[in-house]
Amino acid sequence: AAAPWPAAAQSSVSISGILDLAVRNVSNEGVGSMKSMVSGSNSTSRLIISGREDLGNGLSAGFHLEHGILADTGATAGGAKFWDRRTTVSLSSKTLGELRLGRDFVPSYTNWSRYDPFAYVGVARTANLVSATPQGPIRAAFGSNANTTVRSDNALQLLLPANPGGLVGLEGGLMLAPGEGGAVASGLAKLVGLRLGYAGKGFGVSAASTTSDNSQTTAGKFRDTVVGGQVDVANVRLSGAWREFKYATSKQTLLLIGATATFGLHEVKASWTQANLSGRVGTTAVDANDASQWGLGYVYNLSKRSALYASVAQIQNDGAQRFVISDGAAGIVAGGSSRGYEAGLRHRF
Amino acid sequence: AAAPWPAAAQSSVSISGILDLAVRNVSNEGVGSMKSMVSGSNSTSRLIISGREDLGNGLSAGFHLEHGILADTGATAGGAKFWDRRTTVSLSSKTLGELRLGRDFVPSYTNWSRYDPFAYVGVARTANLVSATPQGPIRAAFGSNANTTVRSDNALQLLLPANPGGLVGLEGGLMLAPGEGGAVASGLAKLVGLRLGYAGKGFGVSAASTTSDNSQTTAGKFRDTVVGGQVDVANVRLSGAWREFKYATSKQTLLLIGATATFGLHEVKASWTQANLSGRVGTTAVDANDASQWGLGYVYNLSKRSALYASVAQIQNDGAQRFVISDGAAGIVAGGSSRGYEAGLRHRF
Amino acid sequence: AAAPWPAAAQSSVSISGILDLAVRNVSNEGVGSMKSMVSGSNSTSRLIISGREDLGNGLSAGFHLEHGILADTGATAGGAKFWDRRTTVSLSSKTLGELRLGRDFVPSYTNWSRYDPFAYVGVARTANLVSATPQGPIRAAFGSNANTTVRSDNALQLLLPANPGGLVGLEGGLMLAPGEGGAVASGLAKLVGLRLGYAGKGFGVSAASTTSDNSQTTAGKFRDTVVGGQVDVANVRLSGAWREFKYATSKQTLLLIGATATFGLHEVKASWTQANLSGRVGTTAVDANDASQWGLGYVYNLSKRSALYASVAQIQNDGAQRFVISDGAAGIVAGGSSRGYEAGLRHRF
């Protein structure tokens, strides 16, 4: 008998990724400087295996496996969580959008990182000011366990199709994850996130909110809210974003201003970020523990896939704050400054 | 000088696999219900890298690497044993069969899982009743270390060719593994397994036996025996199988009856399995600790590669037994019932 | 606007590797013999993902990811260091050579292993006499932590191009790695290595030196020096090499003589290696703890990619020395002999 399957185009599996290594120097106030080789300063080193199958009638199925590589040592970025960056299977409709199951970025992260000229990586990444180390809402909610500021396991997502219902430029999605009993140590959390944006000609605005809780968050939900926008002025893209982490009696806000200028093969990037903590963790007031960071970067594109780059950044902590550029010596003084620069090679494949 | 190699066709490396995720709800008597996202309920999520080289004269060489993925979190299914599902290199002859070296399924497992309509995965898998948790032969032999009910490391296999010696439909193989000093914690065991089957037009029968021992199995060998068969009646495949785990003074038998009906793109599956424990573990009698499970499933094939599915299953424990459908809350009452249902998306690539 | 990238040929990602498994028997004096299945006795089992991009003007970018597989169990050879064999990104010029960043072989290892007919693997590998277990310079410098006798994380390499500056046959490279604060447990070390060789028609000579230190090497640097050469006489390649490990007050020298004869599809290999320890570790004199090893191997090439092979080797320890062929029973007597043989199948893909 003839196969009962609907006629459908087959597409092959694709292997792609990025290898990115740089030499870095970080000076942390009070403990001197340290040289290192670091992975992923322009773009996170990774291996991607993905594919898509056309099911006919505007439907398609697809999968995406993405593995983070610490290319300086060859180690997995996620430990035993090998496909730590993304592990999803999808059913997509051109008119109804995409049902996506599995580990992926949370809406608030997706909405924030697009406005960071350094894409959340390298010496000048805004991630330097998103840390579970200092007393604040992130640590208060999740301790040193995995938190939901970047990704979530077990997620079910409903993503809008392109130009949903004829609304040109509208985009967004909903993410839901079950708590699975709230096992804290494994970083599981019940999560609800929403993202909505509008991309016009030369500009875009978007907002997202993600709330999560597990058995450790006994004082309510952890809330992560982001609003941002960008506009292109000649060859310069200007961006700005605001983010707020909130849990129990403490709060942390981030304010980001960024610019990326492109001149042929050359790219110049700059960002300024401010972290403002407020409220209390237990009986400890954290209001004075703020910080600001500036970053400056240059990229020379050897091709569409390969680039040489260099960046420099500095964090100035206030009060008892100890944010640092990573891969420096441990033990920065409270309220001290962290300075770093790096130069590297990024290759996409 | 000309290359001395025999002329041989070269074939390329193939990348394939499966991503399968579902949302599940499990209710365990006495502890309520829990929602989760689970990987591999229709078919285990995996990545396969394999290849074959034609050596001429009916000979070929080949390899197979198969990695299990917990697609809900991105973690490896086998921890540091990345290629946990299969890691083999082979030399094959069309007339003499295949010499296969490396980690693979044991003959008893291969012979059992083919008769399970749910292929040993999902809420209705017969694997629910094969567990090292309850007092019985598996736990008595191997404790909580890796056991030999599914796979073996270090295996040497001799597999029959298709239609060996002109005996159309005969198939089977022998597996041998050295104990490597019997390091218990690493799950190593000395193993001997044999499988023999006959596949006719619309029916098949087969039998297998696997014995294993290591430094922990001081009371003799662990024996795993399976006999089964299947027959196609119109568009329905009916299957039945019997399995016995035996070690020292305790025994566990499994009886399975399964059916899979296919209607165009639709598939309906049902199974009923009974676990019967007998004998003693130390001085503890386990005869009363039996259980039975039924499962019902529906699969809608979007294509040959992609499918939507839903399943429901229930386990009824007797005596002190505590078999469960996985991913429920811990602590089911002795002799209680475990109920689960799930719906998911499976994509082969 | 037109893309600003220089015109450049695109090349695709390549997947390759080796699966190699053998059955082995090792007899260690005083503790009897043990059978096992072992991975990589002719060539280390591995998976490679690599690629190269032509940037025009004699320039190219490239990457190389290489993962070691313990094919007997499916485990990663490097634990969480998945891409343990090599993880590099490169920018290459036909005239200036290659800038390579990331984890790779150290110059001394590269220079030694090329003269070992058994390529540092299998029962007859010279690696049997390079061990951190006995009292000597390796253990004194690095303890049981990762050492720098084979690879280095965080390395920056400058490699000579082919025929640099018109000097036909000259080859070599420089490797530098920062200590990254000298975290001992992670095996990090500050490293400087250099390799220089000359390859003529039917012969070659080369030398290398690698020095490394971290927070544990308080008595100075660990130095690893190698000089070697080879010459082809008819169908036989003869090789010889000398290696010296030196740290503080102890020293270990290795002397290797090897031969590989090729007859059509057949290959016969032999090696003899001597390990000579001298000096003291703390107050313990190690001069008497020497050892010698001989090895004999046969390879039958089924094709360019697949081969059957068998090898046999023996180590004779002196004094309190306990070098062993791996995968034998633990607890060889001091000064005892270790004997092993193996037969296997190697397939390149």
Side-chain angles (χ1 to χ4, degrees):
Chain A
W5 324 113
Q10 295 282 334
S11 63
S12 60
V13 174
S14 143
I15 296 189
S16 58
I18 298 169
L19 258 284
D20 179 334
L21 282 164
V23 289
R24 177 183 290 187
N25 189 81
V26 172
S27 304
N28 286 336
E29 197 171 333
V31 289
S33 72
M34 195 173 111
K35 281 188 196 63
S36 62
M37 182 165 286
V38 293
S39 176
S41 283
N42 177 271
S43 201
T44 305
S45 297
R46 70 190 77 176
L47 175 70
I48 300 171
I49 301 181
S50 61
R52 213 182 74 88
E53 179 195 17
D54 188 343
L55 298 168
N57 300 320
L59 279 176
S60 63
F63 76 99
H64 187 108
L65 290 168
E66 189 166 334
H67 153 58
I69 301 172
L70 300 179
D72 49 341
T73 66
T76 61
K81 201 168 269 200
F82 187 83
W83 304 101
D84 63 313
R85 293 185 53 81
R86 185 170 155 194
T87 317
T88 61
V89 61
S90 295
L91 186 60
S92 301
S93 152
K94 279 181 184 166
T95 51
L96 297 173
E98 178 180 349
L99 167 69
R100 186 187 291 181
L101 304 176
R103 178 172 173 82
D104 203 356
F105 289 122
V106 300
S108 293
Y109 173 84
T110 301
N111 199 43
W112 172 261
S113 61
R114 60 168 61 173
Y115 300 117
D116 180 348
F118 295 92
Y120 218 67
V121 295
V123 288
R125 61 182 189 161
T126 54
N128 291 332
L129 305 184
V130 181
S131 166
T133 304
Q135 293 285 7
I138 301 174
R139 177 170 166 180
F142 300 105
S144 59
N145 299 302
N147 59 57
T148 57
T149 57
V150 179
R151 290 184 185 83
S152 175
D153 287 347
N154 302 311
L156 182 155
Q157 289 181 83
L158 296 168
L159 302 169
L160 289 178
N163 310 322
L167 296 167
V168 177
L170 192 68
E171 42 117 16
L174 171 71
M175 177 182 269
L176 303 169
E180 299 205 352
V184 170
S186 61
L188 296 176
K190 192 171 174 180
L191 183 142
V192 179
L194 190 69
R195 183 171 62 77
L196 209 63
Y198 176 76
K201 199 173 158 60
F203 77 99
V205 289
S206 58
S209 179
T210 309
T211 60
S212 54
D213 63 284
N214 61 21
S215 64
Q216 184 168 344
T217 56
T218 50
K221 292 177 195 296
F222 175 80
R223 186 178 304 270
D224 177 358
T225 312
V226 179
V227 178
Q230 64 188 27
V231 60
D232 295 347
V233 180
N235 61 332
V236 181
R237 170 160 295 184
L238 298 171
S239 60
W242 172 89
R243 188 172 189 173
E244 184 190 78
F245 302 116
K246 207 171 169 183
Y247 175 70
T249 49
S250 71
K251 207 168 76 174
Q252 177 183 342
T253 57
L254 291 172
L255 194 64
L256 161 68
I257 295 175
T260 303
T262 308
F263 311 91
L265 303 174
H266 309 269
E267 205 178 297
V268 176
K269 307 188 285 188
S271 73
W272 180 84
T273 316
Q274 192 186 34
N276 187 358
L277 281 85
S278 60
R280 288 166 301 102
V281 174
T283 56
T284 309
V286 299
D287 298 79
N289 305 339
D290 300 334
S292 64
Q293 172 183 287
W294 59 261
L296 198 61
Y298 168 70
V299 180
Y300 177 72
N301 289 292
L302 295 157
S303 75
K304 199 173 171 177
R305 295 161 54 196
S306 301
L308 292 165
Y309 62 88
S311 298
V312 55
Q314 174 166 340
I315 295 170
Q316 182 57 54
N317 290 297
D318 292 331
Q321 196 50 276
R322 299 169 189 264
F323 288 124
V324 290
I325 295 168
S326 64
D327 293 275
I332 188 172
V333 298
S337 71
S338 178
R339 241 175 269 191
Y341 55 89
E342 66 195 353
L345 171 63
R346 181 260 296 152
H347 175 65
R348 288 198 195 102
F349 57 91
Chain B
W5 324 113
Q10 295 282 336
S11 64
S12 60
V13 174
S14 142
I15 296 189
S16 59
I18 297 169
L19 258 285
D20 179 333
L21 282 165
V23 288
R24 177 183 288 188
N25 189 82
V26 173
S27 303
N28 287 335
E29 197 172 334
V31 290
S33 73
M34 194 173 112
K35 281 188 194 63
S36 61
M37 181 165 286
V38 292
S39 177
S41 283
N42 177 271
S43 200
T44 305
S45 296
R46 70 191 76 175
L47 175 70
I48 301 171
I49 302 181
S50 61
R52 213 183 74 88
E53 180 195 17
D54 188 344
L55 298 167
N57 299 321
L59 279 176
S60 63
F63 76 100
H64 187 107
L65 290 168
E66 189 166 334
H67 153 57
I69 301 172
L70 299 179
D72 49 340
T73 66
T76 61
K81 201 169 271 201
F82 188 83
W83 304 101
D84 63 313
R85 293 185 53 82
R86 185 170 154 194
T87 317
T88 59
V89 61
S90 296
L91 186 61
S92 301
S93 152
K94 280 181 183 165
T95 52
L96 298 173
E98 178 180 348
L99 167 69
R100 187 187 291 180
L101 304 177
R103 178 173 173 82
D104 202 356
F105 289 123
V106 300
S108 293
Y109 173 84
T110 300
N111 199 42
W112 171 262
S113 62
R114 60 168 62 173
Y115 300 117
D116 180 348
F118 295 92
Y120 218 68
V121 295
V123 287
R125 60 181 189 160
T126 54
N128 291 332
L129 305 184
V130 181
S131 166
T133 304
Q135 294 284 6
I138 301 173
R139 177 170 166 179
F142 300 105
S144 61
N145 300 301
N147 60 57
T148 57
T149 58
V150 180
R151 291 185 185 82
S152 176
D153 287 347
N154 302 309
L156 183 155
Q157 289 181 83
L158 297 168
L159 302 169
L160 288 179
N163 310 320
L167 296 168
V168 177
L170 192 68
E171 43 117 14
L174 171 71
M175 177 182 269
L176 303 170
E180 299 205 351
V184 169
S186 62
L188 295 176
K190 192 169 174 180
L191 185 141
V192 179
L194 190 69
R195 184 172 62 79
L196 210 63
Y198 176 77
K201 197 173 159 60
F203 78 101
V205 290
S206 58
S209 180
T210 308
T211 59
S212 54
D213 63 282
N214 61 21
S215 63
Q216 185 168 343
T217 55
T218 50
K221 292 178 196 296
F222 175 80
R223 185 177 303 271
D224 178 357
T225 311
V226 179
V227 178
Q230 63 188 28
V231 59
D232 295 347
V233 179
N235 61 333
V236 181
R237 169 161 295 183
L238 298 171
S239 58
W242 172 89
R243 189 172 189 174
E244 184 189 78
F245 302 116
K246 206 171 171 184
Y247 176 69
T249 50
S250 71
K251 208 168 74 175
Q252 178 182 344
T253 58
L254 291 172
L255 194 64
L256 162 67
I257 294 176
T260 303
T262 308
F263 312 91
L265 303 174
H266 309 269
E267 205 179 296
V268 176
K269 306 188 284 188
S271 73
W272 181 85
T273 316
Q274 193 186 33
N276 188 359
L277 280 86
S278 60
R280 288 167 299 103
V281 174
T283 57
T284 308
V286 298
D287 297 77
N289 305 341
D290 299 335
S292 64
Q293 173 182 286
W294 60 261
L296 197 61
Y298 168 70
V299 181
Y300 177 72
N301 290 292
L302 294 158
S303 75
K304 199 173 172 179
R305 293 160 56 195
S306 301
L308 292 165
Y309 63 87
S311 299
V312 55
Q314 175 166 340
I315 295 170
Q316 183 56 56
N317 290 296
D318 293 331
Q321 195 51 276
R322 298 170 191 263
F323 287 124
V324 289
I325 294 168
S326 63
D327 293 275
I332 188 172
V333 297
S337 71
S338 177
R339 240 175 269 192
Y341 55 88
E342 67 194 354
L345 171 63
R346 181 260 296 153
H347 175 65
R348 289 199 194 101
F349 56 92
Chain C
W5 324 113
Q10 295 283 335
S11 62
S12 60
V13 174
S14 142
I15 296 190
S16 58
I18 297 169
L19 258 285
D20 179 333
L21 282 165
V23 288
R24 178 184 289 188
N25 189 82
V26 172
S27 304
N28 287 335
E29 198 172 334
V31 289
S33 73
M34 194 174 113
K35 281 188 194 63
S36 62
M37 182 165 286
V38 292
S39 176
S41 283
N42 177 271
S43 201
T44 305
S45 296
R46 70 192 75 175
L47 175 70
I48 300 170
I49 301 181
S50 61
R52 213 182 73 88
E53 179 195 18
D54 188 343
L55 298 168
N57 299 321
L59 279 175
S60 64
F63 76 100
H64 187 108
L65 289 168
E66 189 165 333
H67 153 57
I69 301 172
L70 299 179
D72 49 340
T73 66
T76 60
K81 202 170 269 199
F82 188 82
W83 304 100
D84 63 312
R85 294 186 52 81
R86 185 170 154 193
T87 316
T88 60
V89 61
S90 296
L91 186 61
S92 301
S93 152
K94 280 182 182 164
T95 52
L96 298 173
E98 178 181 349
L99 167 69
R100 187 186 292 180
L101 303 177
R103 178 173 173 82
D104 202 356
F105 289 123
V106 299
S108 292
Y109 172 83
T110 301
N111 199 43
W112 171 260
S113 62
R114 61 168 62 174
Y115 299 118
D116 180 349
F118 295 92
Y120 218 66
V121 294
V123 288
R125 61 182 189 159
T126 55
N128 291 333
L129 305 184
V130 181
S131 165
T133 304
Q135 295 283 7
I138 301 174
R139 177 170 166 179
F142 299 106
S144 60
N145 300 302
N147 59 58
T148 57
T149 58
V150 178
R151 290 184 185 83
S152 176
D153 286 346
N154 302 310
L156 182 155
Q157 290 181 83
L158 297 169
L159 302 169
L160 289 179
N163 309 322
L167 296 167
V168 177
L170 192 68
E171 42 117 16
L174 170 72
M175 176 181 271
L176 303 170
E180 299 205 350
V184 170
S186 62
L188 295 177
K190 193 171 174 179
L191 183 141
V192 179
L194 191 69
R195 183 172 62 79
L196 211 62
Y198 176 76
K201 197 173 160 58
F203 77 101
V205 290
S206 58
S209 180
T210 309
T211 59
S212 54
D213 63 283
N214 61 21
S215 64
Q216 184 169 342
T217 55
T218 50
K221 292 177 195 297
F222 175 80
R223 185 178 304 271
D224 178 358
T225 312
V226 179
V227 178
Q230 64 189 26
V231 60
D232 294 347
V233 179
N235 61 332
V236 181
R237 170 161 295 183
L238 298 171
S239 60
W242 171 89
R243 188 172 189 173
E244 184 190 79
F245 302 117
K246 208 173 169 182
Y247 176 69
T249 50
S250 71
K251 208 168 75 175
Q252 177 183 343
T253 58
L254 290 171
L255 194 64
L256 162 68
I257 295 175
T260 303
T262 307
F263 311 91
L265 302 174
H266 309 269
E267 207 179 295
V268 176
K269 307 187 285 189
S271 74
W272 180 84
T273 316
Q274 194 185 33
N276 187 359
L277 280 86
S278 60
R280 288 167 300 102
V281 175
T283 57
T284 308
V286 298
D287 298 79
N289 305 340
D290 300 336
S292 64
Q293 172 182 287
W294 60 259
L296 197 62
Y298 168 72
V299 180
Y300 176 72
N301 289 292
L302 295 158
S303 75
K304 198 173 171 177
R305 293 161 55 198
S306 301
L308 292 166
Y309 63 86
S311 298
V312 54
Q314 176 166 338
I315 296 170
Q316 183 57 55
N317 290 296
D318 293 331
Q321 195 51 276
R322 297 169 191 264
F323 286 124
V324 289
I325 294 168
S326 63
D327 293 275
I332 189 173
V333 298
S337 71
S338 177
R339 241 175 268 190
Y341 56 89
E342 68 194 354
L345 171 63
R346 180 260 295 152
H347 175 65
R348 288 198 195 102
F349 57 91

